Amino acid sequence: MHKKFTKRFFTFIVGLALVGSMAACGSTGTDNTALGNAGTGTSVSTSSDGAVTEDKVTTASSAATANDGTVVTVAATGSDGAIDTSDLFSKRDLTQTADLSEAETYTLSDGQDIEITSAGVYVLTGTASNVTVTVNVADDEKVQLVLDGIDITNGSQPVIFVKNADKVFITTASGTENDLSVSGSFTKMDDTNTDAVIYSKDDLVLNGLGTLNISSSENGISCKDDLKITGGTLNLNVADAALEANDSIAVADGTVNVTASNDALHAENDDDNSKGYIYICGGTLTLKAADDGVHATTIVQIDGGTLDITAAEGVEGTWIQINDGTVNITASDDGINAANKSSSYSAKVEINGGYTTVTMGQGDTDGVDSNGDIIINGGTISVTGQSTFDYDGTGTINGGTVISNGEEVTTLPNQFMGGGMGGMGGGGRGGWH
């Protein structure tokens, strides 16, 4: 019998740092109550009876470890951006260490699939080939898989398949290296076209203190619900999309390195164009993609972190909002592209803070391209290219620093009709692939 997962409060004292009203992510928390308050932050500390309490703070460290070894990250989320993220991350999402007091351990063997049918914490260890770990629990049950130095190589099926659950956590154990790969053509599992090394039909959280390496002949991680990354190191080398989700991708912390022959991060719901957003408030992301670095149907909101993107198009969405963080883009098509993909929003690029640098290749390319408006209220944005800005609506500078081809400007230039013919050709392009 699999043991039921029991909630456990961790005892620790922690601080966190938070800069600005839409600041990035720091650290701390446990279990399922969401952390964060609009424009502030939440620290988790202990009271005299050992219970966990939450307090708003404005300063502290970016990482914390409790006396029992628990490590947590706090997302300094809020409600004043394009996306209301105040309840986006739960305490358990942000807890980087698992409670192993009632965990069950599986040692991998070649060709021996593992099926998990009860909520709980499960430690996976060992090296094997042609093994699929399937999670199939009740709709209201959560499962945590702790990867403790595993190495799995498959030919045609995912390494981890979440068939049914409320939420699944994939946590890398501290100091471990975990390798998951699929080298051949994917085949169906239970009438599902599983086409990723990790394939989940339900909510998925990636966290931990170790490293997860993924190699795939198709997609890396595919989630048909909400995908979150809150910690650990994630390296993906894939022949299609690296990280994809139907409803949303949210990154609070961690190191993400991607080499993809399609998109690096892709959020799109084929059945509902009001869904499919990407939110980033922390972490370090190095994205190399043959198509888009960051691609969302609805909103791309960046509140912090560091993004280094080399792609055909750097960031693509309907409403792109940059509030903080450092974004460096090298692109051969459009650097930042806002297009009318979602009927719920109007195309818009909005920059309120942070440091954004866009470097464009030669030809009919646009540094910042909007099928609607471009609004710059703050921050620093520097664009280098034949066509630095291209917008079909209005271009407004209300604040901040705007640099176009090395010169600071106070009026936003507009290369309407594209830059391929000296500003005279290719107008209104900049749409979606």
Side-chain angles (χ1 to χ4, degrees), residues 143-166:
V143 168
Q144 186 164 19
L145 303 177
V146 180
L147 309 187
D148 189 10
I150 67 172
D151 187 341
I152 301 177
T153 303
N154 286 357
S156 61
Q157 292 190 334
V159 173
I160 297 174
F161 174 37
V162 179
K163 184 177 181 180
N164 199 77
D166 175 31

Side-chain angles (χ1 to χ4, degrees), residues 10 12 14 26-30 35 44 62-65 70-74 91 94-97:
F10 302 103
F12 59 96
V14 65
S27 64
T28 48
T30 65
L35 287 171
V44 180
S62 60
T65 303
T70 302
V71 177
V72 269
T73 296
V74 165
K91 290 181 181 178
L94 299 165
T95 302
Q96 307 303 317
T97 46

